[in-house]
Amino acid sequence: MRDVLLIALYAACGAAVAGLLGAAALRLVRHRSVAVSLTVVAATAVTAMLAGTLAVAWAMFLSPHDLTVVTLVIVMAAVVSFATALLLGRWVVARSRELARAARSFGEGGSFAAPGPAATAELDALSRELAATSAKLAASRERERALESSRRELVAWISHDLRTPLAGLRAMAEALEDGMAAEPERYFQQIRTEVERLNGMVGDLFELSRIHAGALRLTRTRMSLYDLVGDALAGADPLAREHGVRLVGDRVDEVPVEVDGKEMTRVLANLLVNAIRRTPADGTVAVAAERAEDGAVVLSVTDGCGGIPEEDLPRVFDTGWRGTAARTPPAGAGLGLAIVRGIVEAHRGSADVHNVQGGCCFQVRLPVATAGAVPG
C-alpha cells in the first residue's frame, strides 16, 4: 500500500509541475490565436502525463531500456497530440475568421448570412445570435426609413396646410388695412375661423411631440365608459348635424375603466370627427363599447366612408397619413389618428382598424378597471 501511495505522489508532483508551467504559458499567450492556445493546452496535458510517468519510472528504478521505451511512447503520443491540436486550432481559427467576415457585412448595412459548414457548438450559437441581431437591425432600419418618410410627408403637408390659411389671413389683413373690405365683420369672422384652425394644428403638433418624447403624463380616474362615450357624442353632435350625419350610440355598456378622462375624450373626439367628415350626408356613424371575451374593453367607431384600400390599412395610424382622397383642407395635417394611437398605447391599450361593409371600423382596446384599484 505504501508503494502505491508513493507512486501516486510522484505522479501527482510531476503532473503538477507540468500543469503550473502550462498555466503560465497559457496566460502568456492569452491574447494570441485560438490555435496557439489549443496547442499549449495539448502540450500541457501531454507534458503532465510525461512528467508523471517519468517520475514514477525513475522512482521505480526501471532499466535503461524500459525507461527508453516508456519515454519513446510518451514522446510519440505528444507529437500526435501537438499535430492534432494544431490542425484543430487552424480549423477553429478559419471558421472564426469566416464568421468575422460575415458579421462585418451586416455591420455595414447588409444582412448576416451564417457561413457553412457548421463549426463548433459555441460558434454555431454565436452565428444564431448574430443572425437574430441582423434581423432586429433590419427591422429597425425599416422602421427608421418609414419614420423618416412619415416625417418628410408630415413636413410637406403641414407646410401646404399652413400656407393656405396664412395666405388668406395676409390677403384679408391687407384688404382691411387698405380699406378695401366691403364687409369688415365678415373678414373678422373669417380671420377668427382661420386662427382657430391654425391653433388646432399647432395643438395637434404639440400633443404628438409630447407622445413621441414620452412626456405624456396621465391622470387616471375610475369612470364609466358609458359616461365617457355620452360626453363625446354630445360634443360631436353639432358637427354631425352640420354634415347631415346620424350619430348612433345604442350599444354602449356601463363598463368601468381607469383612464385619463381628458385624453380619452380627445381620442373619442378625433375618431368621431374623422368618421363624420368621411361619411357622406344621410350616413351613420355608430359607436359601441363592450367587454371582450379576454376581459378587455373594446370601443369601436364605425363610419360609412366606403372603406380604406387594403394596402393603406397598415398606415392609417402613421403620423401624417391622410389617404389619397384627403390631401386638402379641411382634412388637417393627418395627426388625429396618430394621436389616438399614442394616447391609447399610453393607457396600455391598442388601436386598430378594419373594413366593414360600406365603411371601416376603428377599434380601441383598453384594460378594464380592476376591483379596488387606486386611481392615479
Side-chain angles (χ1 to χ4, degrees):
M1 186 65 183
R2 182 172 176 274
D3 293 340
V4 173
L5 292 176
L6 286 175
I7 291 173
L9 180 61
Y10 285 132
C13 290
V17 172
L20 291 175
L21 294 175
L26 191 62
R27 180 176 177 80
L28 292 175
V29 300
R30 63 184 183 277
H31 298 303
R32 302 291 296 278
S33 172
V34 175
V36 176
S37 298
L38 288 176
T39 303
V40 171
V41 170
T44 301
V46 173
T47 304
M49 181 182 63
L50 176 62
T53 304
L54 290 178
V56 172
W58 288 333
M60 294 175 62
F61 301 104
L62 294 177
S63 64
H65 177 269
D66 294 339
L67 186 59
T68 302
V69 171
V70 170
T71 303
L72 181 61
V73 170
I74 296 175
V75 169
M76 292 305 299
V79 171
V80 173
S81 299
F82 291 160
T84 303
L86 286 174
L87 290 176
L88 180 61
R90 290 174 62 87
W91 180 76
V92 172
V93 168
R95 297 299 180 273
S96 300
R97 289 173 178 170
E98 292 175 0
L99 188 60
R101 285 193 294 268
R104 195 177 301 117
S105 66
F106 86 85
E108 297 172 352
S111 59
F112 175 79
T120 63
E122 290 79 8
L123 291 179
D124 188 53
L126 181 57
S127 296
R128 291 195 300 270
E129 291 296 327
L130 288 174
T133 302
S134 175
K136 292 178 182 178
L137 286 175
S140 177
R141 285 193 292 266
E142 185 62 30
R143 286 194 301 269
E144 184 180 355
R145 282 193 292 267
L147 182 59
E148 183 61 27
S149 175
S150 177
R151 286 174 178 169
R152 286 196 298 267
E153 292 178 355
L154 176 61
V155 170
W157 292 343
I158 285 289
S159 301
H160 175 270
D161 289 349
L162 285 177
R163 186 181 298 114
T164 302
L166 288 175
L169 288 172
R170 180 178 180 179
M172 287 184 285
E174 290 176 350
L176 289 171
E177 184 180 11
D178 297 339
M180 302 296 293
E183 301 178 21
E185 293 78 8
R186 185 170 64 86
Y187 277 65
F188 292 144
Q189 183 180 3
Q190 184 65 25
I191 288 174
R192 179 182 179 86
T193 300
E194 294 296 340
V195 169
E196 288 178 352
R197 182 175 158 217
L198 290 173
N199 184 64
M201 293 174 62
V202 173
D204 285 346
L205 285 171
F206 178 71
E207 183 76 4
L208 193 63
S209 67
R210 286 202 306 158
I211 292 172
H212 287 171
L216 183 63
R217 297 293 179 261
L218 301 178
T219 303
R220 300 174 185 269
T221 56
R222 187 183 180 93
M223 61 180 62
S224 172
L225 196 60
Y226 183 86
D227 297 333
L228 195 64
V229 173
D231 293 341
L233 289 174
D237 186 65
L239 181 64
R241 291 178 181 274
E242 180 184 345
H243 285 73
V245 175
R246 294 185 300 274
L247 287 180
V248 178
D250 297 335
R251 296 188 301 112
V252 179
D253 297 340
E254 296 187 12
V255 183
V257 289
E258 285 184 21
V259 295
D260 187 310
K262 178 182 176 182
E263 298 296 341
M264 284 308 302
T265 298
R266 180 160 194 166
V267 166
L268 289 171
N270 285 359
L271 290 177
L272 287 172
V273 169
N274 181 72
I276 292 170
R277 287 178 173 170
R278 301 301 186 275
T279 301
D282 295 330
T284 301
V285 173
V287 182
E290 55 190 358
R291 190 192 298 264
E293 295 181 357
D294 58 359
V297 176
V298 179
L299 173 66
S300 62
V301 176
T302 305
D303 59 35
C305 67
I308 300 174
E310 291 294 330
E311 62 272 15
D312 286 342
L313 284 176
R315 295 196 57 206
V316 168
F317 291 96
D318 289 351
T319 301
W321 185 88
R322 296 188 294 183
T324 55
R327 301 283 178 166
T328 59
L335 306 180
L337 294 179
I339 291 174
V340 166
R341 181 175 62 179
I343 294 175
V344 170
E345 290 180 351
H347 283 83
R348 298 191 301 276
S350 62
D352 193 14
V353 61
H354 61 273
N355 286 323
V356 295
Q357 185 175 3
C360 55
C361 177
F362 288 85
Q363 286 188 337
V364 170
R365 297 176 66 88
L366 296 170
V368 68
T370 57
V374 179

